[in-house]
Amino acid sequence: MYGDEATIRRILTELGDTWAVVGLSANRDRAAYGVAQVLQRFGKRIVPVHPKAETVHGEPGYASLADIPFDVDVVDVFVNSSLAGAVADDAVAKGARAVWFQLGVVDEAAYVRSRAAGLEMVMDRCPAIEIPRLH
């Protein structure tokens, strides 16, 4: 299990409200679009991270985590598992407090590296499913 209930609660309620959503674009058909909307409804500031750097849900986008000119609390990852490890490493370099791999995104080595670097981490879960249960 990559993310017990206590870790999920801590990430969603204690570690900060600025969430970089990697893989978020203006494409309404993608899961990231709806999940980011739910996070906003629950008071999170979402920061779109996508090569197109599009504005989504009223928030300006950035091409990479490194391009974001302010601190990020949580990095929510909507990319293929084969790419997710590099994003987790970028989250560590950015100084994020937690990494959240979405449903279907699993990289055990990235989990170990992120935890060893002191970040909280959840894999293969969805914050849009988890956060309403806390309210």
Side-chain angles (χ1 to χ4, degrees):
M1 185 70 175
Y2 297 103
D4 57 62
E5 294 304 316
T7 301
I8 288 168
R9 177 175 294 280
R10 208 165 30 256
I11 292 172
L12 289 170
T13 64
E14 297 174 23
L15 296 187
D17 291 331
T18 302
W19 284 54
V21 183
V22 179
L24 175 58
S25 70
N27 183 345
R28 294 171 181 267
D29 295 331
R30 303 290 298 185
Y33 190 89
V35 170
Q37 219 166 18
V38 171
L39 289 170
Q40 273 189 324
R41 271 204 306 273
F42 282 92
K44 305 300 181 190
R45 175 187 184 188
I46 58 112
V47 183
V49 179
H50 189 278
K52 294 180 182 175
E54 298 171 299
T55 295
V56 185
H57 302 310
E59 294 288 344
Y62 298 88
S64 71
L65 284 173
D67 291 341
I68 301 172
F70 48 83
D71 290 341
V72 168
D73 300 309
V74 181
V75 176
D76 190 8
V77 183
F78 279 92
V79 300
N80 187 287
S81 294
S82 65
L83 306 173
V87 177
D89 296 339
D90 291 346
V92 170
K94 179 71 181 158
R97 300 173 75 189
V99 178
W100 191 299
F101 280 9
Q102 281 297 142
L103 289 171
V105 180
V106 176
D107 181 330
E108 293 178 10
Y111 182 88
V112 171
R113 288 194 309 273
S114 298
R115 296 293 296 129
L119 280 69
E120 297 280 5
M121 187 161 181
V122 172
M123 288 197 305
D124 196 24
R125 300 291 284 267
C126 179
I129 293 170
E130 304 297 338
I131 199 167
R133 296 199 283 205
L134 302 177
H135 291 270

